Amino acid sequence: MDLFSVKDKTILITGASRGIGRAMAEGFASAGATVYGTGSRPESIAWTEGTSIKGIAADLRSESEMKDLINDIGKEHGRLDCLINNGATTLDVPASAIKEADLENLVDTNFKGVFRSCQAYYKMQRKKGGNIINIASIAGLNGAFLMSVYAGTKAAIIQMGNSLAVEWASSGFRINAICPGFTETDMTASIRKNDEYASKIKEIIPMRRIGKPDEMLGAAVFLASDASTYVTGSTIVVDGGLARH
Ligand SMILES: NC(=O)c1ccc[n+]([C@@H]2O[C@H](COP(=O)([O-])OP(=O)(O)OC[C@H]3O[C@@H](n4cnc5c(N)ncnc54)[C@H](OP(=O)(O)O)[C@@H]3O)[C@@H](O)[C@H]2O)c1
């Protein structure tokens, strides 16, 4: 149905080197979008060579790299239809063991990096409007065991997005969030390797299985397409029911 079409839309996805970001980059590209995907290093985004996806290295912790990239896309295409802030890092250790450097890395990557990208996008395109999708987490809604700072950064980007949705609506910007549940990516690899813990997780997920990275695509397509033109300041949970457990 045309309503859900993302054909010819220009979409920038951070953290597209693997996991959920890569699944979204491949999904949007196969639906006819022009896709830019970032990773933290040139090697991590090298998989895009020979595809239609433009892979670029941009460290989310840098004050200028995402800003420069967003401005370059604006110059190349005239507009960026959708920014998907997906790249993030995690840390699952007891709160008492978190070191200052870990704290800074999590906040710089997951919060400041997302805010800077939103700000650069707004400044580049304030006269044309825009569409931002922030990939948060159900940890940002409910909290999560051993994930105090990670969960805090995810809660922060949900409320940052909700605030921007109010502030920038009059400039034609929509800002929404997607909260994945437990998903089969590198981020959860160490937990999934522990058979006992993995089966406990499956037991508490009402759908009794772990999500696949490409199961996050449908919500992103909805939010990136004209099917959601009246949706802003919303959060879509994609978690097999885990947050309701
Ligand atoms: N997996 C889950 O169960 C789950 C659950 C809830 C929410 N989420 C969220 O979903 C999103 C994707 O998660 P995922 O599981 O797909 O993660 P992942 O497989 O660990 O991939 C993380 C991505 O973020 C990029 N990244 C990390 N630090 C970066 C930095 N400083 N600068 C630029 N890029 C950086 C990585 O690039 P490199 O490859 O270059 O390192 C990679 O592309 C994240 O926002 C995550 O918090 C995931």
Side-chain angles (χ1 to χ4, degrees):
M1 192 198 270
D2 278 346
L3 190 60
F4 290 87
S5 174
V6 290
K7 192 169 182 300
D8 300 328
K9 287 195 187 287
T10 302
I11 299 186
L12 169 59
I13 304 169
T14 67
S17 59
R18 48 201 166 99
I20 293 169
R22 177 169 173 164
M24 288 197 293
E26 291 176 320
F28 275 106
S30 70
T34 299
V35 177
Y36 289 80
T38 74
S40 66
R41 294 164 296 116
E43 310 85 86
S44 57
I45 204 70
W47 72 267
T48 56
E49 278 165 30
T51 73
S52 66
I53 297 160
K54 297 169 206 328
I56 294 138
D59 193 325
L60 290 164
R61 296 166 298 185
S62 154
E63 278 183 34
S64 60
E65 289 181 18
M66 284 302 300
K67 183 176 152 192
D68 291 348
L69 172 58
I70 287 166
N71 287 333
D72 287 349
I73 295 172
K75 278 181 208 140
E76 202 174 317
H77 286 281
R79 65 176 290 125
L80 174 60
D81 294 297
C82 184
L83 164 66
I84 304 184
N85 290 308
N86 165 78
T89 190
T90 192
L91 185 69
D92 46 347
V93 298
S96 57
I98 292 175
K99 298 189 171 57
E100 188 60 27
D102 298 327
L103 180 62
E104 277 175 22
N105 188 43
L106 276 161
V107 174
D108 283 354
T109 311
N110 296 5
F111 180 71
K112 287 190 190 173
V114 173
F115 178 75
R116 284 196 202 102
S117 296
C118 292
Q119 190 187 47
Y121 181 38
Y122 176 77
K123 284 181 162 181
M124 187 271 282
Q125 212 162 267
R126 79 170 85 197
K127 293 202 175 107
K128 295 178 182 165
N131 186 0
I132 298 172
I133 303 170
N134 291 325
I135 308 301
S137 168
I138 56 166
L141 298 173
N142 293 355
F145 183 59
L146 298 183
M147 288 193 170
S148 53
V149 180
Y150 172 81
T153 62
K154 293 299 181 176
I157 64 164
I158 293 169
Q159 295 309 337
M160 179 187 78
N162 289 343
S163 305
L164 297 180
V166 176
E167 190 175 326
W168 294 347
S170 58
S171 303
F173 277 73
R174 297 194 290 117
I175 298 99
N176 294 289
I178 295 173
C179 286
F182 199 84
T183 311
E184 201 177 299
T185 69
D186 293 347
M187 197 172 265
T188 55
S190 61
I191 301 171
R192 286 183 291 109
K193 263 184 215 147
N194 180 330
D195 288 343
E196 198 189 328
Y197 197 40
S199 62
K200 268 191 191 150
I201 284 178
K202 282 184 206 158
E203 266 169 41
I204 61 166
I205 297 171
M207 289 180 75
R208 298 284 183 270
R209 65 177 181 84
I210 290 167
K212 302 269 183 215
D214 61 9
E215 291 187 297
M216 306 303 142
L217 179 63
V221 167
F222 166 66
L223 290 173
S225 71
D226 292 347
S228 59
T229 48
Y230 198 52
V231 180
T232 195
S234 281
T235 299
I236 299 180
V237 177
V238 186
D239 71 340
L242 181 56
R244 295 282 173 246
H245 165 72

